[in-house]
Structure formats: structure tokens, C-alpha cells
Amino acid sequence: MRTQIVAGNWKMNKNLDETEILLSELSAKLPDSTAEVIVAPTFVNLASTVRQLQNSVIQVAAQNMHFAENGAYTGEISADMLLNIGVEIVILGHSERRAYFGEDDALLAKKVNTALDKNMRIIFCFGEELEERKSGNHFSVVESQLKNALFHLDQSQWNNIILAYEPVWAIGTGETASPEQAQEMHAFIRKTIKDAYNDEVAEGVAILYGGSVKPNNAAEIFSKPDVDGGLIGGASLKCDDFTAIVEAI
Ligand code: 13P
């Protein structure tokens, strides 16, 4: 069976005090879970988060990183800096990075290469915009996002890839893809990977759904055979909601 994963992308939310409070609450209340649980606080709070979660099963991810080893990239963070503080997972390709910071497939392919060279695990996000779905192009958009950023990888490198399908129209809007829409796309993603690689890669990779996952819709979405968990935004900022979503899996 594939690993099931629930990850919380905190985005630009929670200062240090708030981060410590939410982590304590989560540590106390998270149910025993066979799923992996990951939180991704903002960069400035990553080191303290790793320390606070030292004896916890909750893992820590960064929300982004630069592709270069080091150097004159003001405001950026390298893979080595993350590894040095104990962060071994990174979210790449989030639609907010693509939309507001101009990250395209070519740049993401470089980031992916760097993260994998450093033996980090990647939660790779992708998904279509509303217009692309309305015009029936959602499958081809998703296929090209995957192809351009990931299909140059060797089979063995896929062991460190977690996919997160996040339709842009469902992020932070309260509008969720229906469980059927999620399953349809996840099955398409798996088939696309199978065609490019083989069954082993396609069946082995975890594909998370992201986009307005809440306690009241998580169980149904997670029940779909090709949905292996969720990448949660807003609902990951409240202990009760995030805990309920982990329980749903
Ligand atoms: P919401 O759960 O707030 O829609 O955000 C989803 C997301 O972008 C996770 O990365």
C-alpha cells in the first residue's frame, strides 16, 4: 500500500508564538495515525519547529527553496541551509509561487534537481486554473506541468517525490473539486506516469489532493482509490480542523 500523507502548508501565517502554540496543540491532540503528518511553517520558524518536534512523529517541510548551492541570491534559502537545521522535505511548485513569483516549469525542474541531488523529499504541486478547466484543457495542462518539471528524472528518483494535485480554482476559495473530479484527475496523473515510466513508479507515488480540504469533506475525498492524502492550507492552521482531517485518513 502507498504511504498516506497529510501535510499542512501554513503559507505566510503564524508568528513564532503562534507557531509554538499550534505545534504544542497538535503534538498533544494528533491521533495515532498510520499516515505521515507533515507541517510547513514559514522559513523563520523552521529551526524552532524542528527543535519543538524533536520527539514527535510530525515531520517538517519548507515551503520553497532556491536551486543554487549558495551565493548572491538576496532573500533566498538553499537546500543545505534547510538540511542543516533538520528540514528534509520541501514543497515546490505551489500555484502561489507560480502565479505571484513567476516560477515556471523550467525553474521548477532546476529546483527539483537540486532537492533530489541533496536527497530531500519533494512535495511537488501542480494543477490547472479555472479557465483551463472550463475550456477542457485541464488534463493537458497537468500533463505538461508534470512532463516539463519531472519526466527527466530517473525511476529511482521518484522514491523522493510526493505529488500534490491542487486545482487553482479550489485553493482558498472554499470550492473543492468533487471527490469524483479529484479521483478522475488522480487516475489520469497515475496513467500519465505509467505511460512515461512503468507500473512500479505510477503505483508507488503518493498523489495528494489540495484545495479547500476541510473536516467535512476530507473523508470522502480521501476514500478515493487514487487519492493518497491531502495538502491542506487554511484548515491546517487550526488544531481541531487539522486533527480531524488526519483522523479522516
Ligand atoms: P486551502 O486548503 O486553503 O484551499 O489551500 C490549499 C493549498 O494551497 C495547500 O497548499
Side-chain angles (χ1 to χ4, degrees), residues 86-148:
V87 175
E88 297 175 348
I89 308 171
V90 62
I91 298 173
L92 294 177
H94 195 280
S95 65
E96 288 147 19
R97 299 295 317 169
R98 294 176 191 256
Y100 307 144
F101 303 96
E103 297 200 6
D104 60 13
D105 293 343
L107 177 80
L108 292 169
K110 286 197 207 177
K111 293 188 177 200
V112 164
N113 290 344
T114 302
L116 293 177
D117 284 349
K118 299 285 178 183
N119 212 19
M120 297 179 78
R121 282 206 295 164
I122 298 169
I123 300 176
F124 185 81
C125 307
F126 55 97
E128 81 284 358
E129 295 187 18
L130 184 58
E131 281 314 310
E132 294 165 335
R133 179 163 280 264
K134 278 188 176 162
S135 58
N137 291 327
H138 44 301
F139 294 116
S140 62
V141 167
V142 160
E143 186 173 359
S144 78
Q145 288 172 328
L146 290 172
K147 211 178 257 177
N148 294 340

Side-chain angles (χ1 to χ4, degrees), residues 4-165:
Q4 294 190 300
I5 300 167
V6 180
N9 175 9
W10 292 9
K11 309 191 180 183
M12 196 172 73
N13 294 295
K14 304 278 177 198
N15 64 23
L16 178 58
D17 295 343
E18 293 162 346
T19 297
E20 286 173 355
I21 291 168
L22 180 53
L23 293 174
S24 319
E25 289 174 351
L26 287 174
S27 299
K29 289 197 187 148
L30 263 185
D32 277 344
S33 165
T34 50
E36 281 190 50
V37 179
I38 300 171
V39 293
T42 183
F43 279 126
V44 288
N45 296 327
L46 282 177
S48 65
T49 296
V50 171
R51 279 195 296 273
Q52 196 176 340
L53 294 179
Q54 233 168 44
N55 299 315
S56 163
V57 294
I58 306 172
Q59 303 177 72
V60 185
Q63 297 175 19
N64 182 28
M65 59 165 239
H66 198 269
F67 62 80
E69 184 81 22
N70 53 43
Y73 296 100
T74 301
E76 292 291 332
I77 310 279
S78 73
D80 282 341
M81 291 170 185
L82 296 175
L83 290 167
N84 182 250
I85 57 165
V87 175
E88 297 175 348
I89 308 171
V90 62
I91 298 173
L92 294 177
H94 195 280
S95 65
E96 288 147 19
R97 299 295 317 169
R98 294 176 191 256
Y100 307 144
F101 303 96
E103 297 200 6
D104 60 13
D105 293 343
L107 177 80
L108 292 169
K110 286 197 207 177
K111 293 188 177 200
V112 164
N113 290 344
T114 302
L116 293 177
D117 284 349
K118 299 285 178 183
N119 212 19
M120 297 179 78
R121 282 206 295 164
I122 298 169
I123 300 176
F124 185 81
C125 307
F126 55 97
E128 81 284 358
E129 295 187 18
L130 184 58
E131 281 314 310
E132 294 165 335
R133 179 163 280 264
K134 278 188 176 162
S135 58
N137 291 327
H138 44 301
F139 294 116
S140 62
V141 167
V142 160
E143 186 173 359
S144 78
Q145 288 172 328
L146 290 172
K147 211 178 257 177
N148 294 340
L150 297 178
F151 282 5
H152 61 285
L153 300 178
D154 294 339
Q155 171 161 352
S156 65
Q157 293 180 294
W158 279 80
N159 293 332
N160 279 0
I161 301 284
I162 299 159
L163 297 177
Y165 167 61

